[in-house]
């Protein structure tokens, strides 16, 4: 059975796989995909197809397709990217083509910046911070406060000013095919804007130089970092497609421990929070990461938003939150989950439905290694729902909710208050997903005509 087209356009098309490319950090190979029609597809002006997930709802998602020549940019440095994105309040349609890998940890002249550069002038030092808030003397009942915490926050603010890229409404940001396009060490912030497309980019090494110690987080405290590779906050109509997300080259296994806890420098990969709505996440690869995707940042987020579709993605070497869903109506279909431990990233669970989330998970494929437990593929707080069927575990149809509920006191519910209708490309059999998605997902697959 031929794989369906994954090039999203309103025009009909066929796809032709023509060459292979290696994707970083153990994800596997991808292929370039060309249009086999006489009519060429312009990758940079491409829009989300009708009925392709929640982002197709209403006005749909067109990004910067209507950009004029004055708002069409090709960039290859951090300074050029900042200029091309312009003001977050400017709603003029724009297309930003990223050529090559942009290092966010550089200044306007292109000079490499380090954590020491961000800390300079703030008074922060890790050794002083560790001494000031050692639980043996500072205690465990309150968050750090005082001189070193203020210095840490100031250093973190300096880093944020440099590495956070604010994406305005009506924008398409797309990697130039064949250029290893991506962002190293940076974060795309899509906040309180509508109609954004992000495609064909590798997001790697998004790292917080200045994690905060929280002794009240859990039984033993935790180090918490800022900066998701892509963060949606109050955003609507967003399409994230054919991207690769990875911690590489600095994996969590290289993190030291302080106060007996991992000094975590990574936050989310792609988080969808603060009542974001109408989002489609398709044909991406998520790999080598812990807390990968939040849908809803709080159990108290208001109902009626956080409508998200996740389809034809690969999740490999992911510890948790693939996704963690709260409140909203979330459709998870035709994804491939390989929960084999990779580079020290050992899966705790794949999908967490909590805070009355209404999840439909259907026709996904899980590869579970020998000794792995199907009961641990889901998680929840006793209020969330997971409906749907056709999910395969090692090729066998499996009732994931029944397996989870048999082993947990916090039962996942099996009925939801909605029926997915925006399901373009839905395959009713998951059996071919491992092979098909290896060749059709992630950055480096798409070509421009």
């Amino acid at each position: 059975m031929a794989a369906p087209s994954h090039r999203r356009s309103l025009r009909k098309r066929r796809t032709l796989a023509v060459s292979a490319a290696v994707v970083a950090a153990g994800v596997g190979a991808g292929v370039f995909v060309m249009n086999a029609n006489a009519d060429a597809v312009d990758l940079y002006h491409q829009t989300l197809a009708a009925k392709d997930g929640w982002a197709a709802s209403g006005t749909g998602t067109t990004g910067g397709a209507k950009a004029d020549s004055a708002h069409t940019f090709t960039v290859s440095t951090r300074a050029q990217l900042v200029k091309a994105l312009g003001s977050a309040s400017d709603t003029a349609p724009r297309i930003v083509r990223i050529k090559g890998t942009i290092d966010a940890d550089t200044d306007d002249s292109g000079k490499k910046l380090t954590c020491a550069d961000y800390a300079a002038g703030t008074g922060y030092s890790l050794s002083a911070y560790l001494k000031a808030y050692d639980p043996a003397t500072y205690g465990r009942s309150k968050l750090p406060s005082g001189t070193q915490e203020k210095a840490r926050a100031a250093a973190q603010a300096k880093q944020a000013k440099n590495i956070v890229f604010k994406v305005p409404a009506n924008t398409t940001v797309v990697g130039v095919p064949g250029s290893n396009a991506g962002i190293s060490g940076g974060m795309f912030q899509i906040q309180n804007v509508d109609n954004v497309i992000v495609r064909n980019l590798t997001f790697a090494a998004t790292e917080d130089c200045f994690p905060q110690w929280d002794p009240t987080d859990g039984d033993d405290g935790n180090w918490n970092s800022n900066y998701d590779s892509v963060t949606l906050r109050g955003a609507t109509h967003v399409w994230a497609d054919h991207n690769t997300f990875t911690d590489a080259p600095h994996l969590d296994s290289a993190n030291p421990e302080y106060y007996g806890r991992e000094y975590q420098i990574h936050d989310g990969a792609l988080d969808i929070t603060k009542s974001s709505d109408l989002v489609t996440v398709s044909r991406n690869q998520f790999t080598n990461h812990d807390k990968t995707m939040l849908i809803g940042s709080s159990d108290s987020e208001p109902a009626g938003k956080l409508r998200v579709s996740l389809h034809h993605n690969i999740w490999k070497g992911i510890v948790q939150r693939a996704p963690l869903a709260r409140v909203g109506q979330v459709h998870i279909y035709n994804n491939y989950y390989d929960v084999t431990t990779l580079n020290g990233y050992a899966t705790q669970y794949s999908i967490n439905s909590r805070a009355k989330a209404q999840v439909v998970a259907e026709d996904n494929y899980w590869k579970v290694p020998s000794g792995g437990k199907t009961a641990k593929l889901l998680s929840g707080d006793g209020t969330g729902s997971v409906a749907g069927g056709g999910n395969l575990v090692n090729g066998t149809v499996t009732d994931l909710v029944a397996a989870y509920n048999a082993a947990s006191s916090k039962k996942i519910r099996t009925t939801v208050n909605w029926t997915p209708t925006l399901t373009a490309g839905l395959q009713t059999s998951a059996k071919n997903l491992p092979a098909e998605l290896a060749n059709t997902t992630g950055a480096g697959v798409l070509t421009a005509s």
Side-chain angles (χ1 to χ4, degrees), residues 322-333:
L324 186 157
R326 293 179 166 107
V327 179
Q329 296 174 335
V330 180
H331 195 196
I332 304 171
Y333 65 94

Side-chain angles (χ1 to χ4, degrees), residues 78-150:
R78 175 192 160 276
Q80 290 171 352
L81 176 59
V82 170
K83 184 176 180 180
L85 289 173
S87 169
S89 62
D90 184 352
T91 61
R94 74 189 59 229
I95 295 170
V96 181
R97 300 178 292 211
I98 294 181
K99 186 174 184 179
T101 299
I102 291 177
D103 187 348
D105 288 307
T106 52
D107 66 13
D108 288 346
S109 69
K111 177 186 175 182
K112 179 67 178 176
L113 298 176
T114 67
C115 294
D117 292 315
Y118 297 131
T122 66
Y124 172 85
S125 78
L126 178 58
S127 59
Y129 191 89
L130 292 173
K131 183 178 179 180
Y133 306 112
D134 187 334
T137 54
Y138 185 78
R140 294 181 174 273
S141 62
K142 59 181 180 178
L143 284 169
S145 62
T147 301
Q148 269 302 302
E149 172 57 21
K150 289 180 180 178

Side-chain angles (χ1 to χ4, degrees), residues 245-444:
F245 296 84
T246 177
D247 288 350
H250 182 112
L251 305 179
D252 278 355
S253 57
N255 290 339
E257 287 190 358
Y258 300 117
Y259 309 150
R261 303 296 290 166
E262 179 184 352
Y263 190 68
Q264 180 57 266
I265 61 174
H266 302 117
D267 196 11
L270 196 171
D271 280 3
I272 302 164
T273 63
K274 305 293 185 182
S275 294
S276 291
D277 198 24
L278 306 177
V279 178
T280 297
V281 180
S282 60
R283 301 271 176 186
N284 301 281
Q285 292 190 1
F286 298 92
T287 185
N288 294 300
H289 196 81
D290 184 354
K291 295 177 274 190
T292 303
M293 180 183 293
L294 277 180
I295 300 177
S297 52
S298 167
D299 288 356
S300 61
E301 289 208 33
K305 302 289 183 68
L306 296 172
R307 291 174 290 180
V308 180
S309 298
L310 310 174
H311 71 82
H312 295 92
N313 302 288
I314 285 180
W315 313 77
K316 184 174 184 179
I318 298 303
V319 177
Q320 58 182 317
R321 301 184 184 178
L324 186 157
R326 293 179 166 107
V327 179
Q329 296 174 335
V330 180
H331 195 196
I332 304 171
Y333 65 94
N334 294 158
N335 295 272
Y336 173 47
Y337 295 87
D338 184 346
V339 299
T340 307
T341 298
L342 176 67
N343 295 324
Y345 293 89
T347 300
Q348 295 178 6
Y349 65 84
S350 297
I351 299 169
N352 184 319
S353 180
R354 61 183 300 115
K356 300 181 180 180
Q358 303 288 300
V359 175
V360 177
E362 57 184 330
D363 301 304
N364 302 287
Y365 192 110
W366 272 265
K367 178 183 177 181
V368 178
S370 177
K373 296 183 178 181
T374 302
K376 292 189 175 182
L377 300 180
L378 302 183
S379 184
D381 66 349
T383 71
S385 299
V386 177
N391 296 300
L392 303 185
V393 175
N394 296 335
T396 300
V397 176
T398 303
D399 188 333
L400 302 179
V401 176
Y404 170 83
N405 284 347
S408 176
S409 60
K410 296 181 178 180
K411 309 299 184 185
I412 293 176
R413 303 176 185 185
T414 57
T415 59
V416 296
N417 61 8
W418 70 295
T419 300
T421 59
L422 301 171
T423 58
L426 172 63
Q427 298 163 254
T428 56
S429 172
K431 66 179 182 179
N432 295 324
L433 289 175
E436 176 203 327
L437 297 186
N439 295 328
T440 56
T441 57

